Amino acid sequence: ALPSQSAPSGALPGLDAATLSSLKKLTQYYAVTAFIALMIGVLLGPLQALNYGGINVYDYPLLKVLIKSYYQGLTLHGVLNALVFTQFFISGWMLYLPVRDLNVRPNMRFAWFTYLMMTAGLLTAAVPLLTNDATVLYTFYPPLEGSPVFYIGAAVMVAASLLVAGQVVWLWLAWKRAHPGRVTPVVTYMSVATWLMWVVAALGLVIEVVVMLIPWSLGLTRGVDPLLARTLFWWTGHPIVYFWLLPAYISWYAFLPRQAGGRMASEGLTRLAFAMFLVFSVPVGLHHQYADPNVQNSWKIIHMFLTFLVAVPSLLTAFSAAASLEDAARAQGGRGLIGWVRRLPWGNASMTAQVLAMVSFIFGGAGGIVNASMAFAPVVHNTAWIPGHFHITVGTATTLTFMGVMFWLVPHLTGKRLASPRVALASVWWWFTGMMLFALGMHWQGLAGVPRRAQVSASAQQGVYDAMHLGLPKMITAASGIVLFIAAILFYTVLWRTLLSRRMDDPESTPIPTSEAISAAGETLADASPLVRRTEPLLALTFAALVLVILVYGPVIAPMLTNYQFIPGQRLW
Ligand code: HAS
Ligand code: HEM
Ligand code: CU
């Protein structure tokens, strides 16, 4: 049980045993579906790494049976890993945590409905992806035109996640009504702030897909405006990366300190970071469109400065996470300026996964600041540098954290014991090493001008690629693919062996590792600090976020609407 758990009050039924068991099963379904998607997506990754190592495997007849082209594989890889894996895991995780934290009883029929709806959306979108009818990459930029079935499936998936958001916000509001004057417990605070951010963020994508892409791909309109579509896409596309990151931050703030033997630094600071993400995550999308014509430079510059602003809560997180790890290590006798690091419980695979995820994010975040700088952007945009950047953000900071979380979450949900903790530990080191090598090779190649999204190993492009003399980074990239393949085999061996084993314990004997705080927020708003009081009204902050988005997107989008271009679709595959 969580320490912040509140007693059920008259109007609000608490969790009973039957509901809890159904909720655990649902969370397990979300998480396992997520990891099945990741497994398929990750099988394709090493082939792409070989491509960036100059080795073309896409002509092998056996592979040709499964995927028609490099680009069909890349579309599956991007969609399954970045869109499906994340969304399923997060929807389960960020429903489960606040419900446990508040001890309220959710409507389980509705909760199961959202899972079934999301899965239906996934299966729908999977059909055109697998039949090579929607080889449009995970950004599906028009005028590339995929089957309408793909866009419809994707829309259903996103809609399902918005229903989960609605359910969590609803439960939180009910708790607020039943507990007037109380401070929202911190795990719930982080979850609700993230969900509300996602609601504001998703508006762009929803409009793009529902108003533009679906009617167009059904042949109901004579064309589509690529610039407007891209702009709406990145309205969602940037904050979606925080929708992937913040659930990992929840673990770094609330659970990792306890797993390391320490405490969360400050609940007030944690709330400030999430409040800032809620307000500043969305109005920054133009940093993906510096190279796009017909967008005024002044707006690109404003989005650049707002991007630097939204890096601040991540810097707060770096400070706070380092402080709680140091607190943990010193409590176990750690000494020295950095010598204390050795006293962290490195034998624990779940902790190790998350600390390594954090280390990767130091480099991922620094690279992000480079991407966002308009002076550097032309050097790195559309080069292999960019996949280098996001495999140590979403591919490691997020993915390796979720892998680490699974090591305690599966036992907690099922009562099964983690199979081979030592293999689990090895898998996270292999993943971390593989991704760091991958990032090194890809950033390096990118600086030399190697493009992303290119089958550089295919004969048509091989000559140019060879002329670049990139022997070493190519070798590193190819090797990283092999290392990551081994990491994946180790990880999935542990996961499937755990899931297929027999139930051994009462699931609650593996508790949620909720950390105490060195500086807590307090129980009631009346006793709380001004910071805690001012960060409490999440709906007002959401409104502020919406106003800011309208301010910085209104003048960008308005001229695109008055000058709408009807561009016919293309199928390049
Ligand atoms: Fe990014 C492109 C800028 C963060 C993902 N990004 C992408 C794409 C993806 C992605 C998928 O401005 C490709 C999209 C596409 O296909 O075209 N990104 C940023 C910035 C940040 C950032 C400024 N990105 C992320 C995160 C992602 C992600 C998070 C996924 C989860 N990104 C860009 C830009 C582009 C871009 C441009 C477009 C590039 C182009 O030209 O196309 C910031 O949010 C980063 C802030 C982070 C930090 C780091 C804080 C460090 C922490 C760890 C501390 C560690 C400790 C460990 C304490 C400032 C919190 C201690 C350990 C011990 C052992 C003691
Ligand atoms: C793209 C390799 C795991 C998300 C790529 C590319 C490579 C690659 C080489 C660049 C392809 C190109 O630009 O032509 C790998 C390897 C992995 C792995 C070896 C580990 C086995 C992951 C994970 C995620 C992820 C875990 C996210 C959770 C993506 C995305 C793209 C991508 C979103 C961009 C697709 C696009 O440009 O349309 N991957 N990857 N990858 N990867 Fe991975
Ligand atoms: Cu971005």
Side-chain angles (χ1 to χ4, degrees):
L2 304 179
S4 53
Q5 201 170 67
S6 51
S9 79
L12 203 58
L15 267 176
D16 57 296
T19 312
L20 179 59
S21 126
S22 171
L23 179 68
K24 285 194 161 186
K25 179 142 270 168
L26 174 68
T27 310
Q28 191 192 336
Y29 268 67
Y30 266 123
V32 172
T33 310
F35 275 91
I36 292 173
L38 182 74
M39 188 169 77
I40 302 167
V42 153
L43 283 175
L44 291 154
L47 308 180
Q48 292 155 198
L50 288 178
N51 168 53
Y52 277 92
I55 302 162
N56 182 21
V57 295
Y58 289 84
D59 292 331
Y60 286 122
L62 198 62
L63 193 62
K64 270 262 183 290
V65 177
L66 296 172
I67 47 172
K68 295 284 165 287
S69 70
Y70 181 74
Y71 291 99
Q72 191 191 0
L74 188 56
T75 305
L76 279 164
H77 177 82
V79 170
L80 287 173
N81 291 348
L83 304 180
V84 177
F85 162 64
T86 50
Q87 214 193 78
F88 270 83
F89 185 84
I90 290 163
S91 296
W93 174 244
M94 278 200 327
L95 173 65
Y96 187 73
L97 292 180
V99 166
R100 290 304 303 268
D101 195 30
L102 295 177
N103 190 23
V104 287
R105 191 186 305 168
N107 181 330
M108 286 311 297
R109 277 168 172 248
F110 185 81
W112 277 103
F113 169 74
T114 60
Y115 170 79
L116 293 175
M117 179 173 164
M118 200 179 286
T119 308
L122 167 61
L123 295 176
T124 308
V127 173
L129 287 174
L130 293 171
T131 55
N132 199 22
D133 262 330
T135 298
V136 289
L137 302 181
Y138 83 118
T139 46
F140 44 87
Y141 292 147
L144 279 184
E145 185 178 1
S147 153
V149 179
F150 170 71
Y151 304 115
I152 292 169
V156 170
M157 256 184 71
V158 171
S161 79
L162 292 174
L163 292 180
V164 183
Q167 183 166 30
V168 172
V169 174
W170 175 270
L171 287 167
W172 169 66
L173 289 174
W175 179 89
K176 292 276 282 181
R177 275 194 303 275
H179 303 85
R182 284 274 299 278
V183 175
T184 300
V186 71
V187 170
T188 306
Y189 186 89
M190 293 189 278
S191 310
V192 172
T194 307
W195 277 124
L196 287 169
M197 184 279 287
W198 174 237
V199 171
V200 178
L203 290 175
L205 188 73
V206 168
I207 297 172
E208 185 206 356
V209 173
V210 174
V211 180
M212 297 175 74
L213 301 187
I214 293 178
W216 166 65
S217 61
L218 287 169
L220 300 175
T221 54
R222 62 194 160 88
V224 73
D225 188 324
L227 181 62
L228 178 57
R230 283 167 66 88
T231 307
L232 291 169
F233 180 85
W234 287 115
W235 164 323
T236 304
H238 180 78
I240 205 176
V241 312
Y242 298 134
F243 182 58
W244 304 331
L245 178 71
L246 298 189
Y249 275 10
I250 294 181
S251 179
W252 297 358
Y253 275 113
F255 308 133
L256 178 63
R258 171 71 164 269
Q259 293 180 294
R263 296 165 293 174
M264 174 194 285
S266 154
E267 289 187 357
L269 182 85
T270 307
R271 292 162 61 102
L272 176 63
F274 276 77
M276 287 188 74
F277 276 117
L278 171 53
V279 180
F280 298 120
S281 284
V282 187
V284 298
L286 286 185
H287 70 224
H288 293 266
Q289 296 181 267
Y290 291 147
D292 284 17
N294 292 329
V295 179
Q296 265 181 25
N297 245 347
S298 39
W299 286 110
K300 292 180 180 171
I301 293 170
I302 291 170
H303 281 231
M304 170 172 74
F305 280 114
L306 286 165
T307 304
F308 295 144
L309 186 60
V310 77
V312 171
S314 281
L315 294 168
L316 296 180
T317 304
F319 163 79
S320 178
S324 40
L325 291 180
E326 184 173 349
D327 175 59
R330 293 209 188 278
Q332 287 150 93
R335 283 163 193 282
L337 194 60
I338 44 169
W340 55 264
V341 170
R342 275 175 297 158
R343 286 299 174 103
L344 290 173
W346 292 105
N348 176 333
S350 179
M351 189 228 59
T352 303
Q354 297 178 70
V355 173
L356 294 178
M358 286 159 86
V359 172
S360 83
F361 194 52
I362 297 176
F363 301 98
I369 308 282
V370 172
N371 302 344
S373 310
M374 284 180 80
F376 294 128
V379 179
V380 298
H381 184 55
N382 277 344
T383 71
W385 168 287
I386 304 299
H389 161 66
F390 61 74
H391 283 80
I392 47 176
T393 51
V394 64
T396 314
T398 297
T399 303
L400 191 52
T401 298
F402 291 175
M403 289 165 142
V405 163
M406 286 299 267
F407 294 149
W408 69 261
L409 187 64
V410 172
H412 168 78
L413 295 175
T414 61
K416 295 171 180 175
R417 288 190 195 155
L418 181 66
S420 359
R422 292 183 55 190
V423 181
L425 185 61
S427 76
V428 308
W429 278 103
W430 280 83
W431 189 272
F432 173 73
T433 309
M435 279 300 182
M436 293 312 277
L437 286 174
F438 179 81
L440 177 64
M442 293 293 276
H443 278 92
W444 188 339
Q445 295 199 44
L447 285 182
V450 175
R452 68 181 285 202
R453 293 181 160 174
Q455 198 179 356
V456 281
S457 61
S459 49
Q461 301 196 32
Q462 185 68 278
V464 189
Y465 192 43
D466 279 349
M468 292 179 179
H469 301 296
L470 290 167
L472 188 55
K474 278 165 73 174
M475 218 155 70
I476 294 173
T477 310
S480 77
I482 313 285
V483 174
L484 283 162
F485 184 63
I486 295 171
I489 291 178
L490 295 175
F491 173 79
Y492 278 102
T493 307
V494 174
L495 183 63
W496 298 133
R497 282 193 51 203
T498 306
L499 283 166
L500 295 175
S501 68
R502 268 191 305 134
R503 182 183 158 152
M504 304 288 280
D505 311 301
D506 170 14
E508 289 295 305
S509 66
T510 308
I512 301 176
T514 307
S515 313
E516 277 172 57
I518 298 172
S519 166
E523 285 273 302
T524 63
L525 285 166
D527 306 331
S529 69
L531 174 63
V532 169
R533 277 205 303 276
R534 283 188 198 128
T535 47
E536 181 68 19
L538 282 169
L539 291 181
L541 290 169
T542 310
F543 182 71
L546 207 57
V547 170
L548 189 58
V549 178
I550 291 169
L551 283 176
V552 302
Y553 265 116
V556 173
I557 289 178
M560 297 179 192
L561 290 175
T562 53
N563 193 21
Y564 195 92
Q565 306 289 313
F566 289 93
I567 305 299
Q570 291 177 15
R571 242 182 109 111
L572 297 180
W573 64 93

